[in-house]
């Protein structure tokens, strides 16, 4: 895809911070892993959040939302568990 992404580990475990150059806008996107994307997406919709889009990230399917205050969030379901280990320690630029 040509995206440049850097993972920063602030602690010995999650959460991780990703810096990337391929997203529009100047607001951060908080991405959360959920066990059941369909259920979690339905729960957010019941709370009044409007789904922005469905997409795929390396770890699996993802749905993005914008809160009433303008914060961007996304939920993903881990469908490809080995992907993170594939990227850890990789240096492409």
């Amino acid at each position: 895809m040509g995206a440049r992404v850097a993972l920063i580990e602030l602690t010995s475990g999650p959460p991780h911070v990703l810096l990337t150059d391929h997203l529009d806008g100047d607001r951060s996107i908080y991405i959360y892993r959920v066990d059941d994307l369909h259920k979690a997406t339905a729960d957010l919709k019941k709370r009044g959040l409007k789904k922005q889009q469905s997409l795929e990230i390396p770890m699996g399917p993802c749905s993005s939302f914008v809160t009433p205050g303008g914060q961007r969030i996304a939920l993903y379901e881990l469908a490809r568990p080995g992907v993170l280990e594939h990227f850890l320690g990789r240096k492409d630029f």
Side-chain angles (χ1 to χ4, degrees):
M1 290 182 12
R4 292 177 61 157
V5 179
L7 180 139
I8 299 172
E9 293 181 292
L10 301 175
T11 65
S12 61
H16 300 112
V17 175
L18 294 177
L19 304 175
T20 182
D21 66 351
H22 70 287
L23 299 174
D24 293 329
D26 59 353
R27 290 189 178 233
S28 300
I29 302 174
Y30 293 97
I31 303 175
Y32 300 94
R33 186 173 78 194
V34 296
D35 291 330
D36 184 332
L37 182 62
H38 180 73
K39 181 181 179 300
T41 298
D43 288 346
L44 288 182
K45 286 181 180 179
K46 284 180 190 174
R47 295 175 188 217
L49 272 70
K50 292 186 173 75
K51 186 174 171 183
Q52 296 292 304
Q53 66 179 4
S54 293
L55 58 138
E56 286 284 327
I57 62 174
M59 284 70 78
C62 185
S63 295
S64 68
F65 296 84
V66 176
T67 68
Q71 180 59 54
R72 301 188 310 171
I73 63 170
L75 307 176
Y76 80 94
E77 186 173 325
L78 184 62
R80 295 178 284 276
V83 169
L84 180 59
E85 288 76 21
H86 172 76
F87 287 111
L88 288 176
R90 184 172 156 179
K91 296 179 181 162
D92 295 332
F93 55 91

